[in-house]
Amino acid sequence: MTKWNVLPILAIIFASDLFSLASRPSILADEVKPVLTKPLELTGEIDRTLIQGVDRFLLQQIRRSAEDRQTYWSFYSSSADAWEASLAANRQELKMILGMRDDRATNRGFQFENLFASPSNRYPDSPTLRSSLIAETAEFEIHTVRWNAFGNVVAEALLLEPVQQAAVANVIAIPHADHSPEQLCGLVDGVPADSRFPIKLVQAGCRVVIPVTVSRQRKQFSWNGHEPDLTNREFLYRSAFELGRHLIGYELHATLAAVDIFQQQTPDLPVAVAGWGDGGMLALYAGAIDGRISAVWCSGYFDQREGIWSEPIDRNVFGRLTRFGDAELAVMCANRILIIESADGPVQTSTGGPGAPFELTSPSLKTVSAEFQRAQRCAGSMAKNLHLIDSDDGRFGGKGSLETLLTSLKISNRSADKDQPLAVKFIPDADQRMHRYMIQLDAHSQNVLRHSRFERKAFMKDLDTSSVDAFVESSRHYRDVFYQQVIGKFDLPLLPPNARTRLWKRHESWTGYEVVLDVFPDVIAHGILLIPNDLQPNEQRPVVVCQHGLEGLAQDTIEPLDHYAYQGFASRLASEGFITFAPQNLYRHQDDFRTLQRKANSIGKTLFSVITPQHQQIVHWLKTQPFVDGDRIAFYGLSYGGKTAMRVPAIVTDYCLSICSADFNEWVDKNASTVNPRSYVWTGEYEIFEFNLGGTFNYAEMASLIAPRPFMVERGHFDGVADDETVAFEFAKVRRLYQGQLKLADRCEIEWFAGPHTINGKGTFDFLRRHLQFRP
């Protein structure tokens, strides 16, 4: 029997709509001519074309989110109780995506002792007990205070207290990330005098707390031997995000714990929150979440948020735009008083370095007004409580906003413009205080990390391992949760594949074709198909999908055979007689693909929200090929391809087995630990963090979604991804499932070899031969 001529075969394949074939035709080399009816004409760097198309697709989905958002909202303004009830579900959702999963601490009041003053001469190594009073005038005093926020985290602040009269209202004035409390009240330069609104509020009779917010500076604090070259906020954001928490949520806990104290001490007084920049963001979130807050003053932040992906990554909230634009947050405050001050916002640009690049731009009056009008339309009869005030000179803390706030709090005292000389006793060390706060916030995240495996175990408790059939049935729910809530699923149908191909290369053992398929509007799948030259007419063979890693190309998996990582494994398998397909994945061109993750996150999606349907389309298309056995399509990925091997086959059940090479480890620890020297907390992969994996799916849980299909790990002892012991720790849970519970010991393996971050191609190749029932 003669060898197959592959070009005539493909002429048949692409001559018709493959997805409408009722049955597979027989293939005879002498029945066709080497003509392709749908040739691939795309030129240039297809990997870059792919990324640019996904970028357009995601931006379109972001624009659509504003239109689709209304389906989540129903407002009932017949009464205050009805209004609050109509917000309950969305308030809970907002708290979850802001990471507010921990219980707030209880307090008896603010603690006034300053235990953190400078050391004394007599005891230079110990802090002295000093009065909390740091400055005063004839009208008010400024104290350092602290309170328990949540867990073991202690919030610190300045408290401005009227002394000539009892306070008539309580206000939490939240600084922008790069302003200290001392700057906001004029003890230290940094905020213009006209914008020091806490001073004006205390002069009007308000009790004012100014909490510390984490700065966006790069302070180079040493952390377990590391000096992370990240902003303080991004450093804390990374671990928290992976664990289903958020730096914003942590700061809101501190803010609302202060509200708790105010309500406990002076329950009859109104409470307001106010802030500019990041302080305005926190004030808006706090007002949306907590109905006890009587008034919200948001300055220099409120805007159309469709560009949130370009803002600092510490503002990245997973799924924010699905339900919540700034207008929706405003409506959540509409049964009280909301003041939007259209002032100049903070402006800052960063190329990121190892961290995420960002751009902070000042909201324009035009876009602020457009978003405010949208809020008014949604608020209906409650719109009367929403106030948009333009700052005449662009500065925050203007007279119009201040007057509106004081009126809403029913304060008639208008002595807020009096200049009072401050007698300053001492200035707290802001750097030391920031370091203390950051240590506590990180310690909380690390404590959540230590307990996360128990949280995941409780989460997976409904998996039924009494039999393989029961297990398969019970895992369906978890697969849906994984796809919908963790990966993020686009509820869009796949387009017809519209397959286009062209000859890529002839090899002595195989013939290669470039393939491009349509997936979604602007989204394509691209890869290289290798067909063994000894394939016989009417023969069907298994396929191994060979996935490259970070910054790789599909052809890297094919040649050269001595590539330091890939070892030409797709070509070697094809030379053995397997059909192989090497897809081009998204993770290439550095910030070009990393910002795709930022864009996807804003609507509750990830890179794998696109990669997964790309693979689903690839598998669908492969199954239409008459030389492919559709029941024997396997997945084998290295490095970032190993990440794909854990996520895509967990969802795309058409893959009959999965091999994870050079990636499998205790993934949550790898992302969230500030102790592990191999942690991504220290590196430039700012896109790597996935919201709340810590509470849901580590690699063992992902592997349980692959089970009972065969699963294998390929692990080099000298692979810097992780230490052997953390790989073994996580794999032991997978092995227990397969061997101990499902009695499928032969379907789960790990190969240890003396090598680095590379394909070994020995045990894994045998695993493929055995489970795909194919011998060369």
Side-chain angles (χ1 to χ4, degrees), residues 324-386:
F324 307 100
D326 282 7
E328 283 73 25
L329 298 181
V331 176
M332 295 173 78
C333 304
N335 58 334
R336 292 152 289 146
I337 297 297
L338 173 65
I339 302 161
I340 301 298
E341 183 177 48
S342 182
D344 293 341
V347 176
Q348 185 180 359
T349 301
S350 173
T351 58
F358 66 84
E359 184 177 11
L360 269 180
T361 58
S362 181
S364 70
L365 180 59
K366 179 180 179 181
T367 57
V368 172
S369 298
E371 188 73 359
F372 183 80
Q373 289 166 12
R374 194 167 72 82
Q376 286 181 310
R377 291 193 296 271
C378 293
S381 63
M382 295 287 187
K384 64 182 182 298
N385 296 325
L386 306 180

Side-chain angles (χ1 to χ4, degrees), residues 173-187:
I174 310 174
H176 175 58
D178 290 333
H179 288 162
S180 69
E182 290 76 21
Q183 288 175 312
L184 199 54
C185 61
L187 296 175

Side-chain angles (χ1 to χ4, degrees), residues 422-720:
L422 273 171
V424 180
K425 300 181 179 295
F426 74 95
I427 303 295
D429 188 319
D431 284 348
Q432 287 185 8
R433 181 180 59 199
M434 182 62 63
H435 198 191
R436 280 195 305 273
Y437 195 31
M438 289 179 64
I439 287 172
Q440 292 173 16
L441 292 172
D442 176 60
H444 181 81
S445 291
Q446 297 310 300
N447 188 52
V448 173
L449 173 60
R450 283 190 293 273
H451 289 85
S452 65
R453 65 189 180 102
F454 303 108
E455 185 178 354
R456 291 190 299 275
K457 188 173 182 179
F459 170 71
M460 301 292 289
K461 64 181 174 58
D462 291 330
L463 269 183
D464 185 348
T465 58
S466 61
S467 70
V468 173
D469 288 344
F471 177 82
V472 170
E473 186 61 33
S474 64
S475 66
R476 297 183 195 278
H477 161 72
Y478 289 101
R479 184 171 292 107
D480 288 343
V481 171
F482 183 58
Y483 199 2
Q484 295 283 355
Q485 299 180 22
V486 178
I487 296 297
K489 181 182 179 182
F490 284 109
D491 292 323
L492 297 171
L494 294 175
L495 294 175
N498 187 29
R500 288 89 78 198
T501 67
R502 66 177 164 225
L503 179 68
W504 178 69
K505 187 171 186 178
R506 294 185 185 276
H507 182 271
E508 62 182 10
S509 299
W510 45 259
T511 303
Y513 296 88
E514 278 191 273
V515 180
V516 170
L517 309 171
D518 292 338
V519 180
F520 293 141
D522 286 319
V523 178
I524 60 172
H526 170 235
I528 300 175
L529 176 70
L530 302 187
I531 304 176
N533 292 336
D534 65 351
L535 192 65
Q536 300 300 309
N538 298 320
E539 182 186 6
Q540 292 184 336
R541 290 192 185 177
V543 180
V544 181
V545 173
C546 301
Q547 188 65 71
H548 67 79
L550 181 66
E551 296 296 337
L553 290 167
Q555 53 263 41
D556 293 340
T557 67
I558 301 170
E559 54 185 19
L561 294 179
D562 60 352
H563 189 284
Y564 71 96
Y566 300 111
Q567 309 294 329
F569 76 112
S571 176
R572 289 165 58 197
L573 286 166
S575 295
E576 281 200 11
F578 291 97
I579 299 166
T580 65
F581 188 90
Q584 180 61 51
N585 241 344
L586 288 176
Y587 34 77
R588 183 167 167 80
H589 299 300
Q590 300 184 25
D591 284 340
D592 286 352
F593 90 83
R594 292 195 163 102
T595 54
L596 297 181
Q597 179 85 323
R598 294 288 314 276
K599 292 167 185 172
N601 275 187
S602 71
I603 50 176
K605 306 296 189 292
T606 64
L607 287 174
F608 285 97
S609 302
V610 177
I611 293 170
T612 300
Q614 285 176 319
H615 274 268
Q616 187 67 73
Q617 189 76 305
I618 288 167
V619 172
H620 282 174
W621 178 77
L622 286 171
K623 285 186 173 186
T624 68
Q625 308 311 299
F627 47 81
V628 168
D629 183 342
D631 295 329
R632 293 186 292 166
I633 302 178
F635 191 99
Y636 188 175
L638 173 96
S639 192
Y640 225 122
K643 293 173 180 57
T644 310
M646 297 308 303
R647 290 159 179 78
V648 169
I651 297 168
V652 180
T653 56
D654 300 270
Y655 282 121
C656 68
L657 68 78
S658 182
I659 300 174
C660 176
S661 178
D663 184 69
F664 188 92
N665 68 103
E666 215 283 29
W667 183 251
V668 172
D669 185 83
K670 168 84 174 173
N671 283 268
S673 174
T674 55
V675 176
N676 184 351
R678 303 186 191 278
S679 173
Y680 278 120
V681 166
W682 318 114
T683 69
E685 286 92 342
Y686 59 82
E687 88 292 346
I688 208 77
F689 307 95
E690 297 160 283
F691 187 63
N692 198 28
L693 276 193
T696 53
F697 296 93
N698 205 340
Y699 272 11
E701 288 75 28
M702 292 184 202
S704 73
L705 300 182
I706 297 171
R709 292 166 288 162
F711 173 72
M712 185 173 182
V713 171
E714 186 175 44
R715 163 68 189 176
H717 289 302
F718 310 118
D719 190 338

Side-chain angles (χ1 to χ4, degrees), residues 104-111 146-149 257-258 260-261 264:
R104 286 201 302 276
T106 56
N107 293 270
R108 289 179 294 179
F110 297 113
Q111 302 170 46
R146 61 190 188 281
W147 63 94
N148 298 320
D260 295 340
I261 294 173
Q264 176 186 327

Side-chain angles (χ1 to χ4, degrees), residues 4 19 28 53 59 65 71 116 148 222 232 300 383 415 459 479 509 514 529 544 611 645 648 687 709 747 751:
W4 224 10
F19 274 67
L28 296 174
L59 290 175
S65 68
T71 61
F116 304 110
N148 298 320
S222 179
N232 294 342
S415 61
F459 170 71
R479 184 171 292 107
S509 299
E514 278 191 273
L529 176 70
V544 181
I611 293 170
V648 169
E687 88 292 346
R709 292 166 288 162
R747 297 192 187 182
E751 181 189 29

